[in-house]
């Protein structure tokens, strides 16, 4: 081999070794993988309780975490050494605590110690359950201390805010604070138990010349209540003597997610704080200033509902036969919704215009619309095939023939057949006087005959009149049925529901049902049987209050039904 070749070969080998060494160095620099390590022991050193654990090669810092036997973290400390003093741990004498260490490298990767260290805390501490939070007038105050106060020099110091009030050596498990030393103070006094004049091992707050806070009660919502999705009304009473009220909201009972300062005893909690179908604890804290130890509290647990879907958009007037130049109004049964629509049959979700005023109709058109709200899912898209025309509306009234459905005993309600026919007797003349052509079923024939006749006369509305009953006799409310969400009858059914529910006297969040969907279970609303079928169940005849309401308000019920029909067809 020539000298030149030897030089070149040597140079190549040198470059290769250098590149490999550099790569290994970079790899080790980036990798800095943390190794397994253990917590070793706790020892008393001078006045300190010192924790020892194995050093981790690539660790840049360690977090020491102390938790109680409930798993609650009571102390955290960051250190760069593998031994550290556990100073001012807020544990009580005899309490079991758990110590673990978390190592971090320069990339902020972390690794927990292989083991936790469980120990029984043996530093003396104030015995909370034996100590009163209030100093009685003209009475020396006694602080009870638990544990061996003789194992080291301990000092008791009393402070008011940051000012030292009293200091003495601990010579007993019952330390007496002379009343004449503290009686000129007011508010919070803090007791500190100090080891070797260096380390505070226990603290306790007590109060002098301070008002006792009155009990508080959450009035709304009630405990274990299921709340429908939306804002939640909160109200409370009590708390005399307090000037600071806070509402703490815990997710699943223990995770604090929000603290609200309450300025009045009523507050609306914004829905955005919550998750769907989740349990929350609402805790009210009433205190004077920031004196948490003498506060009064109350709490309730609620479960949030699931974000429901908005009902469909409907028209307040008939869209099937409308005079040229008239208008069509769009509506939704929910408040605080936005309606978007198109008039060319295109998708309103993509192309919709925000509805604000009635739509002028000068020619046939296809209106499509949907509703949206921050509290609910968007509604399905509704379609209205608008036709110019003038036609005298035809309504087919079909009162129930169910004479086997009897009213609750002693209510005066006889049978569903009799009571619904009485309402029909009152309803029909009102419609006729408004210029509507009305047909009525024959109670001696069956439903098939009624639907056949309804189609034969070209009914623009087939209206079945019923009352309701439930298997457990506890249900209430008005029900108005159409076939399904895309039913041609949905708009007039919505108008009928609004008009009847408006006069219904027993309104509640639990019985405001809106338009319901039969989906094949009711023949008189099926689109394969009638053009525009609606079935009303005015109220429950097996409920005493509702049965009496029907028989005592037949004229009002008939008028509300007629008003919705007359308004929809724009007659009179």
């Amino acid at each position: 081999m020539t000298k030149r070749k030897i030089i070149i070969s040597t140079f190549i080998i040198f470059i290769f070794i250098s590149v490999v060494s550099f790569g290994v160095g970079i790899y080790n620099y980036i990798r800095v993988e943390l190794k397994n390590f253990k917590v070793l022991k706790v020892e008393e050193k001078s006045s300190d309780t010192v924790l020892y654990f194995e050093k981790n090669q690539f660790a840049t810092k360690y977090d020491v975490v102390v938790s109680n036997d409930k798993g609650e973290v009571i102390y955290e400390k960051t250190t760069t050494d593998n031994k550290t003093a556990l100073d001012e741990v807020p544990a009580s004498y005899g309490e079991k605590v758990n110590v673990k260490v978390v190592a971090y490298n320069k990339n902020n990767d972390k690794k927990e110690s292989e083991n936790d260290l469980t120990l029984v805390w043996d530093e003396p501490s104030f015995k909370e359950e034996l100590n009163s939070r209030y100093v009685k007038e003209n009475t020396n105050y006694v602080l009870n201390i638990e544990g061996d106060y003789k194992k080291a020099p301990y000092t008791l110091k009393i402070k008011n805010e940051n000012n030292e009030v009293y200091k003495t050596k601990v010579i007993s498990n019952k330390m007496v604070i002379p009343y004449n030393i503290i009686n000129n103070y007011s508010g919070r006094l803090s007791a500190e138990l100090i080891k070797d004049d260096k380390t505070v091992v226990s603290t306790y707050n007590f109060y002098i010349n301070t008002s006792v806070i009155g009990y508080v009660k959450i009035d709304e919502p009630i405990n274990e209540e299921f709340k429908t999705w939306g804002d939640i009304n909160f109200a409370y009473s009590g708390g005399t003597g307090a000037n600071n009220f806070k509402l703490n909201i815990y997710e699943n009972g223990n995770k604090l997610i929000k603290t609200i300062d309450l300025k009045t005893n009523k507050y609306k909690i914004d829905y955005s704080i919550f998750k769907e179908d989740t349990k929350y604890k609402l805790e009210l804290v009433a205190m004077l200033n920031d004196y948490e130890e003498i506060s009064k509290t109350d709490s309730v647990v609620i479960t949030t509902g699931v974000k429901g879907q908005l009902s469909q958009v409907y028209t307040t007037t008939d869209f099937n036969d409308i005079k040229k130049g008239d208008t069509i109004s769009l509506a939704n049964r929910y408040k605080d919704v936005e309606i978007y629509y198109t008039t060319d049959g295109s998708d309103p979700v993509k192309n919709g215009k925000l509805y604000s005023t009635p739509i002028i109709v000068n020619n046939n058109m296809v209106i499509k619309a949907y509703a949206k709200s921050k509290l609910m899912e968007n509604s399905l898209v509704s379609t209205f095939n608008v036709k110019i025309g003038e036609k005298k509306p035809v309504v087919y009234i079909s009162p129930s023939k169910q004479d086997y459905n009897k009213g609750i005993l002693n209510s005066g309600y006889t049978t569903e057949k009799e009571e619904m026919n009485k309402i029909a007797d009152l309803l029909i003349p009102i419609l006729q006087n408004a210029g509507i052509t009305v047909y009525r079923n024959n109670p001696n024939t069956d439903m098939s005959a009624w639907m056949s006749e309804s189609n034969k006369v070209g009914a623009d509305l087939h209206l079945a009149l019923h009352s309701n009953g439930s298997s457990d006799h506890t249900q209430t409310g008005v029900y108005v049925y159409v076939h399904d969400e895309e039913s041609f009858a949905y708009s007039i059914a919505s108008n009928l529901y609004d008009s009847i529910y408006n006069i219904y006297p027993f309104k509640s969040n639990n019985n405001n049902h809106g338009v319901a969907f039969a989906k094949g279970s009711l023949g008189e609303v099926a689109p394969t049987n009638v053009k525009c079928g609606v079935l009303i169940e005015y109220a429950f005849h097996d409920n005493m209050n509702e049965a009496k309401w029907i028989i005592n308000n037949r004229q009002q019920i008939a008028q509300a039904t007629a008003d919705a029909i007359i308004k929809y067809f724009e007659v009179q």
Side-chain angles (χ1 to χ4, degrees), residues 30 44 60 85 108 120 152 181 194 203 227 229 231 293 297-298 330 342 387 412 427 451 465 475 492 499 535 551 565:
I30 295 174
E44 294 290 331
T60 57
N108 213 34
V120 177
I181 291 178
I194 306 170
T203 61
K227 300 297 294 183
W229 183 252
D231 297 340
E293 295 90 354
T297 63
D298 191 25
L330 304 179
T342 59
K387 296 180 181 178
L427 170 63
M451 295 186 297
L465 309 182
Q475 303 301 306
I492 192 168
S499 185
L535 186 145
I551 63 175
I565 296 170

Side-chain angles (χ1 to χ4, degrees), residues 242-419:
N243 61 9
N244 187 1
F245 294 85
K246 294 183 182 295
L247 171 61
N248 295 321
I249 302 175
Y250 297 87
E251 184 179 320
N252 291 316
N254 54 20
K255 179 185 177 184
L256 180 64
I257 61 168
K258 185 79 173 178
T259 295
I260 300 168
D261 290 317
L262 301 173
K263 305 303 181 185
T264 66
N265 69 326
K266 292 184 178 179
Y267 185 83
K268 182 172 285 188
I269 309 172
D270 191 88
Y271 78 98
S272 61
I273 292 173
F274 302 105
K275 297 176 183 176
E276 297 178 54
D277 192 26
T278 303
K279 186 170 286 190
Y280 291 89
K281 182 175 81 171
L282 308 182
E283 179 189 54
L284 172 67
V285 181
M287 56 187 166
L288 178 64
N289 303 327
D290 61 345
Y291 303 163
E292 292 188 10
E293 295 90 354
I294 56 171
S295 64
K296 291 294 192 298
T297 63
D298 191 25
S299 65
V300 296
V301 175
I302 62 168
T303 302
T304 54
V306 176
K307 193 175 183 180
Q309 186 175 39
L310 285 169
S311 60
Q312 298 92 306
V313 174
Y314 62 90
T315 65
T316 59
T317 52
D318 183 21
F319 57 86
N320 197 44
D321 287 289
I322 186 169
K323 294 179 183 177
K324 186 174 182 179
D326 280 358
T327 60
I328 285 181
S329 297
L330 304 179
N332 189 275
R333 70 177 296 251
Y334 291 100
K335 297 178 180 179
D336 301 322
V337 302
E338 293 179 339
I339 295 174
Y340 289 84
Y341 74 98
T342 59
T343 56
D344 61 359
S346 63
D347 184 359
V349 178
K350 295 180 180 178
N351 307 319
K353 175 183 177 183
L354 179 63
Y355 175 81
S356 59
T357 57
I359 302 165
I360 300 173
V361 178
N362 288 315
N363 50 265
N364 293 347
M365 63 175 65
V366 177
I367 297 175
K368 290 192 173 185
Y370 81 102
K372 66 184 296 186
S373 164
K374 64 180 183 178
L375 295 178
M376 303 183 75
E377 302 290 351
N378 294 348
S379 74
L380 298 175
V381 173
S382 298
T383 302
F384 310 104
N385 291 301
V386 181
K387 296 180 181 178
I388 300 292
E390 293 187 41
K391 177 180 177 292
K392 186 177 181 179
V394 176
V395 175
Y396 191 93
I397 303 298
S398 177
S400 172
K401 63 174 289 184
Q402 296 171 351
D403 53 6
Y404 49 83
N405 284 341
K406 301 183 186 300
I408 189 170
L409 191 65
N410 299 323
S411 66
Y413 191 103
T414 55
T415 67
E416 182 177 334
K417 176 182 178 180
E418 182 175 342
E419 295 299 335

Side-chain angles (χ1 to χ4, degrees), residues 154-197:
Y154 290 95
T155 303
L156 173 64
K157 182 187 289 187
I158 307 297
K159 297 195 302 185
N160 177 249
E161 296 182 351
N162 291 319
N163 301 315
E164 184 178 308
V165 174
Y166 179 69
K167 183 176 180 181
T168 186
K169 291 183 179 180
V170 176
I171 58 173
S172 170
N173 288 105
K174 290 183 180 290
M175 294 297 295
V176 178
I177 315 300
Y179 181 76
N180 64 342
I181 291 178
I182 59 177
N183 70 316
N184 290 326
Y185 293 91
S186 63
R188 179 167 53 208
L189 296 174
S190 297
E192 293 181 346
L193 188 60
I194 306 170
K195 184 178 181 181
D196 291 326
D197 278 330

Side-chain angles (χ1 to χ4, degrees), residues 14-210:
F14 172 77
I15 293 296
F16 175 78
I17 293 172
S18 298
V19 169
V20 169
S21 298
F22 179 77
V24 170
I26 290 294
Y27 174 75
N28 286 331
Y29 176 79
I30 295 174
R31 189 171 176 227
V32 291
E33 184 177 347
L34 293 165
K35 307 297 183 182
N36 293 331
F37 70 107
K38 294 180 179 180
V39 180
L40 300 175
K41 61 181 178 179
V42 167
E43 281 186 352
E44 294 290 331
K45 289 286 186 179
S46 183
S47 61
D48 294 327
T49 300
V50 181
L51 172 71
Y52 296 85
F53 51 90
E54 292 178 341
K55 190 174 182 65
N56 201 308
Q57 180 182 358
F58 294 111
T60 57
K61 66 176 182 178
Y62 304 91
D63 279 351
V64 177
V65 182
V66 180
S67 55
N68 59 22
D69 56 3
K70 296 178 182 178
E72 300 166 337
V73 174
I74 59 172
Y75 176 85
E76 290 183 282
K77 180 179 183 179
T78 300
T79 180
T80 56
D81 198 0
N82 65 321
K83 65 177 181 178
T84 186
L86 298 178
D87 46 1
E88 300 189 20
V89 175
S92 299
Y93 175 79
E95 181 181 3
K96 280 188 178 181
V97 295
N98 191 71
V99 183
K100 72 176 178 181
V101 180
V102 182
Y104 294 84
N105 64 15
K106 63 183 178 182
N107 297 330
N108 213 34
D109 300 325
K110 67 178 182 179
K111 193 172 195 65
E112 292 188 3
S113 54
E114 286 186 286
N115 65 313
D116 295 352
L117 194 65
T118 300
L119 60 145
V120 177
W121 199 251
D122 66 351
E123 286 288 2
S125 64
F126 295 110
K127 185 71 172 175
E128 183 170 341
E129 55 267 33
L130 295 179
N131 295 328
S132 169
R133 290 289 182 184
Y134 291 94
V135 178
K136 294 181 180 179
E137 189 175 1
N138 297 318
T139 304
N140 293 337
Y141 185 71
V142 178
L143 278 168
N144 290 273
I145 298 172
E146 203 174 24
D148 184 7
Y149 66 88
K150 296 178 181 178
K151 74 172 191 174
Y154 290 95
T155 303
L156 173 64
K157 182 187 289 187
I158 307 297
K159 297 195 302 185
N160 177 249
E161 296 182 351
N162 291 319
N163 301 315
E164 184 178 308
V165 174
Y166 179 69
K167 183 176 180 181
T168 186
K169 291 183 179 180
V170 176
I171 58 173
S172 170
N173 288 105
K174 290 183 180 290
M175 294 297 295
V176 178
I177 315 300
Y179 181 76
N180 64 342
I181 291 178
I182 59 177
N183 70 316
N184 290 326
Y185 293 91
S186 63
R188 179 167 53 208
L189 296 174
S190 297
E192 293 181 346
L193 188 60
I194 306 170
K195 184 178 181 181
D196 291 326
D197 278 330
K198 174 184 175 185
T199 305
V200 177
V201 295
S202 184
T203 61
Y204 189 78
N205 292 331
F206 59 102
Y207 297 84
I208 188 168
N209 300 321
T210 305

